[in-house]
Amino acid sequence: MNPNHVIAVARGEKEADLLLADARIVNVFSGEIVSGSLAIAGGRIAGMGDYAARRRTDLKGRYLCPGLIDAHVHIESAMASVTEFARAVLPLGTTTVVADPHEIANVLGADGIRYMLRSAENQPMNICYSLPSCVPATEMETSGARLDAEDLLPFMEEDRILALAEMMNYPGVIYGDADVLKKIGLARAHRKPTDGHAPGLTGPELNAYLSTGIASDHECTTAPEAMEKLAAGMFIMVREGTCARNLDALFPAISERTADRMMWCTDDRHPHDILDQGHLDYIVRRAIGLGLDPVTAIQMGTLNPARYFGIRDAGAIAPGYRADLMIFSDLDTPRAEQVYHGGRLVAEDGAILPEITRPAPVSVPRIMNLLPDDVDFTIPARGRRIRVIEVVQDQVMTGRRETDAAVKDGMAVADVSRDLLKMAVVERYTGAGGTGLGFVTGLGLRRGALASSVAHDSHNIIVAGADDRDMKAALNAVVRMGGGMAVACDGAVRAELPLPIAGLMSDAPMPVIREQMDSLISAARELGTRLHDPFMALGFLALPVIPDLKLTDKGLVDVTQFRIVPLFAD
């Protein structure tokens, strides 16, 4: 961009590159909708008014708003490469994301972060990152890497790094873990915010957590929780993903007094939801449908995250801002009809334009150091009562219960009549094949098994099923693919999705991934599950930083006590 050229255009002395005429412009600063024209020069907004321009596009009274900004997303959860993710969400009006590459960092460490940074180059949208703060998330699991404060320091000078990502180790914060505090201090020294991750934290513990300067949270599940955190100074990211859907519960907390400290995020969103429902645009439409003022809903998806992350040239339509724009016809149900990035039309009618080229792919090593034949799923019955993980529909939080074990030939086994499935988490990095074993209810399988190398946050292989043979068949399929997801029944694989990029992502276009994912879900439903997305639910059963009970390769984790507990309760 030549600033002198933009200045000359703004003064009216030179022609603009493009004039978007007869628009209804959403002003997120004033809350108004203003009729007028927008002049663009050098990819920037030069001014509003009837400027002379080399090209003129008549919007015929359609609405013009800033491109949407996702405040917290894991691109890996869409199971698509950065390039294919961009090509899926950009036509939906998302022109900026602040992605946390926490998932691939747990597999590949600093190399994973570098892979994501390189993959963001030359994309037709702004892909920024927050820096993973918890690799591994806890000491109660085996990850593929470990990143301490010294490992993170070189990334702090990167332009695309906008924050320290979600600080999941809240006990480490509250009790003053030296490395945790050093990471937070590193972000503060570089004038970058630290995102929080504090599900259910309240009272003195919340105060201790916030005393370090942690600024935001995306884990609220009730309006009172959000209000307490807002009152304590936090910014709240309202999440509407695939597994965790919090908009309805948090909507009462959004008001004229709070909205300027709240923003939207997707966190983890699978391909079928992106392609069927939308991305940030879906959340905006849902919020408007619940009764939120449309301009406020757009402001929460544009200006608010830009201000929070210090993005000074995006999130609004004003002179000097990047011409990242979304054009739509209906203010009550905004759907992107055209999307501009840096003043260039990049998507139209829900599709990226054919002339937008794909950047060259970036290579990544295969990480699958595991011999499936060495894995043993048998559980000797060492008591009468067992601790069981309970799946909670549409949430990453889980419940817990104690129940009588089903015992056969001295072994604890699944009991589908009680929706009691066996589950395992198998370590895939060291070659030792350490395996945590447990039971889960709520997945709903009547037979067969599911397996996935997407198992938050260390991404070992998680398996759940009605019998050991099918669990082994599903595990074998994941290992053979070098990572992925599989459904097995009667000893045979029914459906599979290869994820060769670190066992997390595919390099196929998102519609192809979606077709494979639909086949997986269809196969899983034939086996009995009725969950919206059983693989998203499965992947979070290994996350030992979200209450209440989880399973890692090291065993059953009581998250409320932050310790490993025995499977047998007596």
Side-chain angles (χ1 to χ4, degrees):
M1 180 196 71
N2 181 348
N4 288 325
H5 173 63
V6 179
I7 292 169
V9 171
R11 288 199 307 260
E13 295 178 358
K14 288 188 176 181
E15 287 184 322
D17 300 332
L18 173 66
L19 187 73
L20 298 176
D22 188 19
R24 285 188 277 187
I25 301 170
V26 179
N27 190 317
V28 293
F29 290 123
S30 66
E32 300 173 294
I33 297 175
V34 181
S35 295
S37 300
L38 190 70
I40 297 171
R44 300 275 165 167
I45 296 168
M48 284 160 277
D50 192 15
Y51 283 84
R54 288 192 291 274
R55 289 187 299 120
R56 177 187 174 97
T57 298
D58 191 342
L59 297 189
K60 299 178 180 180
R62 289 186 293 169
Y63 291 93
L64 187 62
C65 81
L68 302 175
I69 302 173
D70 193 336
H72 177 72
V73 59
H74 301 283
I75 291 175
E76 303 97 313
S77 291
M79 294 180 287
S81 66
V82 172
T83 292
E84 297 304 330
F85 173 83
R87 299 177 83 82
V89 304
L90 181 60
L92 304 174
T94 302
T95 57
T96 301
V97 297
V98 184
D100 174 8
H102 173 91
E103 318 303 344
I104 198 168
N106 266 283
V107 178
L108 295 170
D111 286 343
I113 300 173
R114 284 189 282 268
Y115 166 81
M116 298 298 275
L117 285 167
R118 290 197 304 271
S119 297
E121 296 171 0
N122 303 312
Q123 298 289 352
M125 65 179 294
N126 311 306
I127 299 176
C128 304
Y129 294 102
S130 51
L131 197 57
S133 66
C134 298
V135 179
T138 74
E139 299 298 326
M140 294 178 288
E141 57 194 322
T142 304
S143 66
R146 177 178 296 274
L147 297 176
D148 58 24
E150 285 71 26
D151 298 315
L152 299 182
L153 178 59
F155 294 104
M156 278 293 176
E157 299 297 336
E158 292 276 354
D159 290 341
R160 292 187 184 274
I161 300 292
L162 303 185
L164 183 66
E166 50 182 325
M167 181 50 74
M168 294 181 288
N169 187 1
Y170 55 85
V173 177
I174 293 168
Y175 295 105
D177 179 271
D179 189 61
V180 167
L181 297 184
K182 193 171 182 179
K183 290 174 181 176
I184 296 172
L186 192 64
R188 187 165 54 246
H190 286 80
R191 300 183 181 275
K192 298 182 179 185
T194 296
D195 291 342
H197 174 112
L201 213 57
T202 186
E205 289 190 334
L206 177 62
N207 294 338
Y209 187 71
L210 298 184
S211 69
T212 63
I214 292 172
S216 68
D217 188 55
H218 61 273
E219 292 291 345
C220 293
T221 57
T222 68
E225 179 184 1
M227 290 302 299
E228 180 182 3
K229 289 174 178 175
L230 282 163
M234 296 189 92
F235 291 82
I236 299 300
M237 298 175 181
V238 180
R239 173 177 55 192
E240 191 74 0
T242 289
C243 187
R245 300 169 183 261
N246 305 129
L247 175 58
D248 288 344
L250 299 187
F251 188 77
I254 305 172
S255 68
E256 289 185 5
R257 295 180 178 181
T258 62
D260 65 342
R261 294 181 66 82
M262 302 182 77
M263 61 199 88
W264 311 123
C265 78
T266 60
D267 198 3
D268 299 283
R269 197 159 176 82
H270 267 190
H272 52 281
D273 283 340
I274 293 173
L275 297 176
D276 290 348
Q277 298 175 338
H279 193 238
L280 261 289
D281 61 318
Y282 168 73
I283 306 178
V284 170
R285 286 192 298 272
R286 283 217 61 237
I288 294 170
L290 290 172
L292 188 63
D293 170 67
V295 176
T296 301
I298 292 170
Q299 178 187 346
M300 289 174 63
T302 56
L303 181 63
N304 292 7
R307 282 178 164 170
Y308 172 76
F309 287 108
I311 308 172
R312 301 184 184 278
D313 61 350
I317 296 176
Y321 279 67
R322 285 198 307 261
D324 295 345
L325 307 165
M326 170 177 159
I327 296 168
F328 58 97
S329 295
D330 188 342
L331 187 63
D332 290 328
T333 56
R335 294 180 185 274
E337 296 163 9
Q338 292 177 313
V339 180
Y340 284 80
H341 169 62
R344 179 189 184 192
L345 182 64
V346 291
E348 192 166 24
D349 297 330
I352 198 159
L353 296 182
E355 62 266 27
I356 306 300
T357 59
R358 285 179 169 84
V362 180
S363 62
V364 64
R366 170 181 167 131
I367 303 292
M368 189 59 66
N369 191 11
L370 170 64
L371 295 175
D373 289 343
D374 293 340
V375 178
D376 183 2
F377 290 132
T378 59
I379 303 176
R382 295 192 172 93
R384 184 176 63 87
R385 304 279 289 175
I386 52 173
R387 295 179 171 89
V388 179
I389 299 172
E390 287 185 314
V391 173
V392 179
Q393 175 85 333
D394 293 337
Q395 298 294 339
V396 297
M397 299 180 74
T398 53
R400 68 167 74 204
R401 73 168 62 166
E402 290 185 12
T403 190
D404 287 338
V407 179
K408 181 178 180 181
D409 298 329
M411 299 292 174
V413 297
D415 182 354
V416 296
S417 69
R418 290 187 286 155
D419 187 21
L420 185 67
L421 300 178
K422 186 183 288 187
M423 63 178 295
V425 176
V426 186
E427 186 263 312
R428 67 166 166 127
Y429 299 109
T430 68
T435 303
L437 296 167
F439 290 89
V440 60
T441 185
L443 283 179
L445 295 183
R446 306 290 297 176
R447 56 201 179 100
L450 313 179
S452 175
S453 57
V454 178
H456 301 276
D457 271 337
S458 290
H459 300 292
N460 291 298
I461 301 178
I462 189 166
V463 191
D467 67 73
D468 292 3
R469 183 178 69 148
D470 288 337
M471 290 174 68
K472 184 64 70 74
L475 173 68
N476 281 336
V478 171
V479 174
R480 170 177 48 79
M481 292 184 288
M485 300 176 174
V487 177
C489 188
D490 299 326
V493 176
R494 295 284 186 90
E496 61 185 28
L497 166 58
L499 297 174
I501 304 175
L504 301 173
M505 295 177 284
S506 168
D507 52 10
M510 195 174 289
V512 173
I513 301 171
R514 179 258 179 87
E515 290 177 6
Q516 295 171 319
M517 193 72 207
D518 283 348
S519 296
L520 278 173
I521 292 175
S522 177
R525 286 186 176 151
E526 288 177 2
L527 301 182
T529 186
R530 291 294 175 263
L531 292 179
H532 171 69
D533 189 332
F535 280 90
M536 183 69 88
L538 180 69
F540 281 107
L541 297 181
L543 181 56
V545 293
I546 297 284
D548 204 4
L549 197 62
K550 296 292 193 291
L551 182 70
T552 76
D553 64 295
K554 294 186 178 181
L556 202 60
V557 177
D558 183 329
V559 182
T560 59
Q561 299 182 49
F562 224 63
R563 68 183 182 90
I564 294 174
V565 295
L567 171 61
F568 289 91
D570 55 359

